[in-house]
Amino acid sequence: MCAADLLANIVLRVFVWVVSATTCFGNIFVICMRSYIRSENKLHAMCIISLCCADGLMGVYLFMIGAYDLKFRGEYNRHAQAWMDSVQCQVIGSLAMLSTEVSVLLLTYLTLEKYICIVYPFRYLTPGRRRTVSILLSIWFIGFVIAFLPLVFKGLFRNFYGTNGVCFPLHSEQPETTGAQVYSIVIFLGGCLI
């Protein structure tokens, strides 16, 4: 990474804005359309809206990274350590983690639900409204716990989200606390296994 800029080259700078705008507007569009269009399967629509909310958080994260890249343009090296230690970096890093984990958990749930419907088509195994809402709330709760645990237990995790300029915890090779390193590996490998 160029020491003078948060995002190293023009391709990254352009794509962070393109992907951020596409993600935010695309998910807002789907949320609006799913809310206004009558759906035969309202529970599935509820899951899709929840997934759009989780994915929209990634758009917000990318927007914030782009905004801070503009703020620090040409002088990032003077602000790098203060930025990585800042509350803003910690919060947007936890938003990225929340988005990632909730998306993975929701996609896993939707896949399992469809798998059961295909494998057991003549059994009534589809979840009702109460179960679907409970599952969605549980998924968001788990996502919040995973994302914000490092902010609550600073002694164990130290600067979990501030080890790089984009505030995303990539600890597999960096000299951080053992707890933070293990947590990061388990979270990301667990997401890959799901």
Side-chain angles (χ1 to χ4, degrees), residues 109-177:
Y109 167 68
L110 288 168
T111 302
L112 287 173
E113 181 187 20
K114 296 304 170 202
Y115 173 78
I116 290 170
C117 288
I118 292 169
V119 172
Y120 304 106
F122 300 112
R123 295 186 189 168
Y124 185 73
L125 298 174
T126 57
R129 182 173 175 80
R130 179 181 286 167
R131 181 179 287 171
T132 300
V133 169
S134 297
I135 290 170
L136 291 177
L137 289 174
S138 298
I139 287 171
W140 278 95
F141 178 76
I142 291 167
F144 269 101
V145 168
I146 289 171
F148 290 98
L149 198 66
L151 297 181
V152 174
F153 295 104
K154 284 285 212 184
L156 178 63
F157 293 98
R158 290 195 194 139
N159 194 9
F160 187 73
Y161 293 110
T163 57
N164 55 56
V166 293
C167 310
F168 203 77
L170 305 169
H171 293 280
S172 61
E173 297 176 9
Q174 296 180 353
E176 192 59 39
T177 66

Side-chain angles (χ1 to χ4, degrees), residues 59-80:
V60 172
Y61 162 78
L62 291 171
F63 176 79
M64 295 304 294
I65 292 296
Y68 279 102
D69 177 59
L70 284 176
K71 179 180 178 182
F72 298 136
R73 183 68 45 86
E75 55 184 44
Y76 177 68
N77 55 349
R78 289 189 3 216
H79 303 284

Side-chain angles (χ1 to χ4, degrees), residues 8-81:
N9 59 50
I10 190 70
V11 174
L12 291 175
R13 288 186 205 119
V14 168
F15 274 98
V16 79
W17 289 105
V18 169
V19 173
S20 173
T22 305
T23 302
C24 288
F25 293 125
N27 284 298
I28 289 170
F29 177 76
V30 171
I31 290 169
C32 291
M33 290 293 103
R34 284 283 182 170
S35 299
Y36 291 121
I37 295 173
R38 294 185 86 153
S39 175
E40 289 181 20
N41 190 344
K42 292 188 184 299
L43 301 178
H44 184 71
M46 190 183 332
C47 292
I48 297 298
I49 289 171
S50 186
L51 182 61
C52 287
C53 291
D55 290 343
L57 288 176
M58 187 56 74
V60 172
Y61 162 78
L62 291 171
F63 176 79
M64 295 304 294
I65 292 296
Y68 279 102
D69 177 59
L70 284 176
K71 179 180 178 182
F72 298 136
R73 183 68 45 86
E75 55 184 44
Y76 177 68
N77 55 349
R78 289 189 3 216
H79 303 284
Q81 195 59 50

